[in-house]
Amino acid sequence: MDRLDNTVRPYAWGSTTAIPELLGTAPTGEPQAEMWMGAHPGAPSGTDRGTLDQVIAADPEGELGQAAVGAFGPRLPFLLKLLAAGAPLSLQVHPDLAQAAVGHAAEEAAGVPVDAPHRNYKDANHKPELVCALTPFDGLCGFRPPVEAADLLAGLDVDSLKPYVDLLHAHPEEAALREVLTALLSADRDEMAATVTEAAAAAERLGGPYAPYASIARHYPGDPGVVAAMLLNHVRLQPGEALFLGAGVPHAYLDGLAVEIMANSDNVLRCGLTPKHVDVPELLRIVRFESTEPGVLRPEVSPTGEEVYDTPTDEFRLSRYVLAPGSEARDLTAFGPQILLCTAGGVTAGELPLTAGQSVFVPAGEQVSVTGTDGRSGTLFRATVTA
């Protein structure tokens, strides 16, 4: 079992205080957006045996287990993160496995450098993800029914938005959503900036259901993604609640601290709320144009006290334990690889004490049990695979 030394990524949208508060460290004044735990080559966790990707590469079956290597190849199939949003992330979607394979092969054949700003597919993998709130957490997830989106836009009383309102009323669901998103992202940038500015002023004045979008507009003035965001469901998670994001579902995280787990992929197609590349034709090929409920997940509690967040994904399985001081040891030995993360209080994993923000990697089959630390309770997240 390896204690992990993890990298914090300073993306501009990150909170300056949330991760330092959890870790018990002083803020630096710079944004601290994500803490990565895993073997992703962009920021692999450190161990006493080398970086985690090096450790796994030296003995894939020993570290990951034969079943995981057979299912996902000789690499850790998931990436675990602490995510601290102080400003909205880009509005985005992820491809499914087949789309990712085709897109990656096409860009490889075209000779597009993997670090090119216009590259869409950094790898051939899909990127389902699950985000579990540690604090109240705001996000956007999936399309509203077109009629509801039309009513929200109409309530702003902005003349230049009325053609979009008419489109949302005039077509079947898929066609309506597709036409409106296409029109928003293809419109003249200067004309759209004026529309967004007027819409943002109305949203500030109206408040209520418009408040999240007014906040987005303050961070991204004039961005067409502000209006595109109004096509989506707004959801607020309470601590312990989660969202699962599958392929083709447009989403964005707005504010709050969470644990996030995903398949080990960098594939993102952006819709707006970003200065980065937006590939409109490819985006429109990937987006699923259907209204969906946000589908807030609450954990299913097993007889052993494990709180499991059930998803249809094999690459990862996320669960949580709340351990009382001096609680009976829970055996977490598993056939696959695991990362254990303490998010509150203190716990002991094997012989290693963990405080908030500390984590360990447990190789496949290694015996490990966890208990609450004497004198205080602790919360532990467990990331592993289902295959």
Side-chain angles (χ1 to χ4, degrees):
M1 186 163 56
D2 300 275
R3 188 183 291 275
L4 297 179
D5 180 19
N6 304 307
T7 298
V8 175
R9 310 305 294 265
Y11 305 137
W13 50 261
S15 167
T16 59
T17 58
I19 288 179
E21 285 177 2
L22 187 140
L23 298 178
T25 59
T28 64
E30 298 297 317
Q32 298 188 38
E34 296 180 345
M35 186 175 81
W36 288 21
M37 291 155 280
H40 192 285
S45 299
T47 77
D48 288 340
R49 298 187 285 158
T51 59
L52 189 56
D53 57 338
Q54 294 170 340
V55 169
I56 291 169
D59 184 11
E61 287 200 0
E63 301 296 333
L64 305 177
Q66 188 175 25
V69 172
F72 310 115
R75 61 193 60 83
L76 188 67
F78 60 82
L79 177 64
L80 185 67
K81 298 180 180 180
L82 281 175
L83 184 148
L89 283 68
S90 61
L91 192 61
Q92 60 190 257
V93 296
H94 306 303
D96 64 27
L97 196 55
Q99 291 165 338
V102 171
H104 180 259
E107 289 185 326
E108 288 288 288
V112 182
V114 72
D115 58 352
H118 61 287
R119 176 100 184 209
N120 293 317
Y121 298 97
K122 305 291 180 67
D123 52 69
N125 201 10
H126 62 165
K127 193 186 177 188
E129 60 190 43
L130 177 75
V131 62
C132 180
L134 297 179
T135 67
F137 190 89
D138 284 279
L140 305 173
C141 178
F143 286 112
R144 301 172 182 269
V147 172
E148 290 184 14
D151 290 345
L152 195 68
L153 292 179
L156 294 169
D157 196 25
V158 173
D159 286 343
S160 53
L161 287 178
K162 290 179 180 177
Y164 303 113
V165 173
D166 292 340
L167 282 172
L168 289 167
H169 280 298
H171 293 280
E173 177 175 286
E174 180 179 353
L177 294 170
R178 180 182 292 276
E179 288 196 32
V180 171
L181 186 63
T182 302
L184 288 171
L185 299 182
S186 305
D188 179 270
R189 296 288 294 190
D190 291 336
E191 291 180 5
M192 182 53 63
T195 294
V196 172
T197 299
E198 188 177 354
E204 288 278 9
R205 184 177 66 255
L206 292 167
Y210 294 98
Y213 308 100
S215 176
I216 292 170
R218 289 194 293 272
H219 290 285
Y220 296 99
D223 192 308
V226 174
V227 179
M230 297 183 72
L231 303 177
L232 306 187
N233 298 294
H234 172 252
V235 59
R236 166 163 273 210
L237 300 179
Q238 296 304 315
E241 295 180 333
L243 279 177
F244 175 73
L245 287 308
V249 177
H251 62 278
Y253 303 139
L254 305 180
D255 183 71
L257 178 66
V259 171
E260 184 182 32
I261 189 168
M262 62 190 63
N264 206 355
S265 171
D266 270 343
N267 290 327
V268 175
L269 290 117
R270 296 175 178 86
C271 315
L273 310 182
T274 179
K276 296 182 179 180
H277 176 63
V278 177
D279 184 337
V280 175
E282 186 65 10
L283 170 73
L284 296 174
R285 192 177 74 84
I286 299 301
V287 171
R288 289 170 49 193
F289 288 99
E290 59 186 32
S291 61
T292 59
E293 289 291 326
V296 175
L297 290 177
R298 295 172 181 84
E300 299 177 7
V301 184
S302 76
T304 63
E306 184 179 24
E307 302 175 7
V308 180
Y309 295 91
D310 187 36
T311 75
T313 301
D314 291 334
E315 284 91 341
F316 61 75
R317 176 184 183 274
L318 186 70
S319 61
R320 183 180 70 165
Y321 288 88
V322 179
L323 301 167
S327 57
E328 181 180 346
R330 314 289 177 89
D331 181 11
L332 302 192
T333 306
F335 289 108
Q338 303 183 76
I339 292 178
L340 307 179
L341 166 67
C342 178
T343 59
V347 300
T348 300
E351 301 297 322
L352 296 178
L354 302 178
T355 57
Q358 295 183 330
S359 57
V360 295
F361 172 74
V362 185
E366 181 164 328
Q367 288 194 327
V368 59
S369 60
V370 297
T371 62
T373 300
D374 289 342
R376 56 179 171 167
S377 61
T379 301
L380 183 80
F381 279 84
R382 179 193 196 191
T384 185
V385 296
T386 59

